Amino acid sequence: MKIRVLLADDQSILADGIKSVLSSCEEIEVVGIAQDGFEALDLLEKTSPDVVLMDIRMPNMNGVIATQEVKRRRPEVKVIILTTFDDSDYILNAINNGASGYLLKDTSSAALIDAIKNAYAGDTILPAKIAKRIADAARLVSNDREIKLKRAYGLSDRETEIALMIYEGFTNKQVASALKLTDGTARNYISSIYVKLEAENRLEAVEKMRNIIQN
């Protein structure tokens, strides 16, 4: 069975080029090309893709909003952001709205094909350059937040960094990818944070952090 891919990109020449690259892989079938978020959502219903390659900046509805809506309508569909923009705000917004990965358009053909296969298999796609952007963004959070959490719960520097990532909406897998940790190590850190916060789950941990940070 082929992986069904929907492209969403308002630049027709680029979209056609990407389609040509993907069509060279026998395991992938391009089922449609959308020029904005609205058309992507329309084609989502008509073509039932497994993976959507989503540009960020498109007219009428941008890629972040379209990604959020794709995941609301079809949670099982994987969305990979494919764009020229590596700004940390774009990256975080896309990931926090359900994207399975974030690639730049200078990605090689082979890497793009591998990313689609890996996303379809359930992996998070964050190349080293993008992962570093996320990690750097996490490190730039307010020192005041760090001090408050350390004082309130006795967290280590690493635990504080991860706690703030959790607070910002990162999943366990995204924490591991951004900080180059194994999934098991990330889970161990997060479990330790829950113990120190006396929280039973992520929701309770975030609420406790919010009470400390915002007061």
Side-chain angles (χ1 to χ4, degrees), residues 10 23 25 44 57 59 99 103 110 122 141 147 151 171 196 207:
D10 63 315
S23 296
C25 177
L44 176 74
R57 288 189 178 177
L103 295 174
V141 294
I147 292 169
R151 287 178 177 174
T171 66
K196 291 185 177 182
E207 186 59 32

Side-chain angles (χ1 to χ4, degrees), residues 71-88:
K71 298 302 291 184
R72 187 187 70 80
R73 296 185 185 188
R74 301 280 296 279
E76 75 281 3
V77 174
K78 311 299 183 183
V79 179
I80 301 174
I81 300 299
L82 183 63
T83 184
T84 56
F85 304 99
D86 63 353
D87 182 271
S88 59

